[in-house]
């Protein structure tokens, strides 16, 4: 571990030992992320500190699965838009919304996000 990383680790542990001084600990996390410390040292410290902070940084993103039939609707909508059949495209958007899929049109094509429990998730990288 580099001397700079060791010093940040010492300061982090001192902040935690000081009656769980979380504002200082989180400031050190932000400082570490933006520092010139080698990436391997950064990753090691963030994993170690995460065990204390419980931020769950190594959690993987949930895999988004489309409801049955939604992939076909997305494909049909994409074809309708390419054919400039916007009435059909809007109808398919409504059908997708009914099964919990929101379609976002971008310059790169359509993107979608799924609503789970009434809350919209960020757009999926799929088009």
């Amino acid at each position: 571990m580099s001397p700079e990383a060791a010093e940040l680790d010492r300061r982090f542990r001192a902040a935690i030992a000081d009656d769980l001084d979380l504002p200082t600990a989180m400031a050190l996390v932000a400082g570490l992320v933006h520092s010139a410390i080698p990436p391997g040292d950064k990753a090691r410290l963030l994993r170690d500190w995460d065990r204390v902070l419980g931020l769950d940084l190594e959690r993987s993103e949930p895999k988004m699965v489309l409801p049955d039939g939604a992939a076909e609707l997305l494909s049909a909508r994409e074809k309708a838009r390419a054919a400039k059949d916007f009435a059909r495209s809007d109808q398919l958007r409504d059908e997708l919304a009914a099964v919990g899929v929101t379609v976002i049109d971008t310059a790169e094509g359509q993107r979608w996000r799924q609503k789970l429990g009434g809350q919209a998730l960020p757009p999926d990288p799929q088009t």
Side-chain angles (χ1 to χ4, degrees), residues 16 19 26 38 49 54-55 68 79 88 92 95-96 102-103 109-110 114 116 125:
I16 295 300
D19 200 23
M26 292 307 295
W49 295 358
L55 300 175
D68 289 340
K79 289 175 187 168
R88 176 72 176 140
L92 291 164
E95 289 180 37
L96 285 158
T102 302
V103 179
Q110 70 181 4
Q114 192 171 9
L116 294 177

Side-chain angles (χ1 to χ4, degrees), residues 111-112 122-127:
R111 295 171 59 106
W112 58 270
D124 188 73
Q126 301 176 21
T127 56

Side-chain angles (χ1 to χ4, degrees), residues 65-71 73-74 92-103 113-116:
V65 178
L66 284 168
D68 289 340
L73 292 172
L74 284 167
L92 291 164
R93 178 194 299 272
D94 292 342
E95 289 180 37
L96 285 158
V99 296
V101 177
T102 302
V103 179
R113 65 179 175 214
Q114 192 171 9
K115 290 186 178 182
L116 294 177

Side-chain angles (χ1 to χ4, degrees), residues 1-117:
M1 184 179 306
S2 70
E4 296 86 4
E7 174 58 17
L8 275 178
D9 190 42
R10 184 198 65 73
R11 290 174 50 202
F12 175 84
R13 293 180 188 288
I16 295 300
D18 183 19
D19 200 23
L20 288 175
D21 184 358
L22 292 179
T24 298
M26 292 307 295
L28 289 166
V29 169
L32 172 64
V33 169
H34 299 303
S35 74
I37 291 174
D41 287 349
K42 280 184 187 181
R44 188 171 320 128
L45 283 176
L46 286 171
R47 278 193 301 274
D48 287 348
W49 295 358
D50 186 38
R51 284 190 226 125
V52 174
L53 297 172
L55 300 175
D56 204 13
L57 296 176
E58 294 190 294
R59 168 189 50 190
S60 62
E61 295 272 333
K63 179 68 177 151
M64 304 234 330
V65 178
L66 284 168
D68 289 340
E72 293 81 9
L73 292 172
L74 284 167
S75 177
R77 184 176 183 278
E78 198 166 39
K79 289 175 187 168
R81 285 189 56 77
K84 300 197 183 300
D85 184 354
F86 298 114
R88 176 72 176 140
S89 173
D90 290 344
Q91 177 189 5
L92 291 164
R93 178 194 299 272
D94 292 342
E95 289 180 37
L96 285 158
V99 296
V101 177
T102 302
V103 179
I104 302 99
D105 291 316
T106 70
E108 295 82 32
Q110 70 181 4
R111 295 171 59 106
W112 58 270
R113 65 179 175 214
Q114 192 171 9
K115 290 186 178 182
L116 294 177

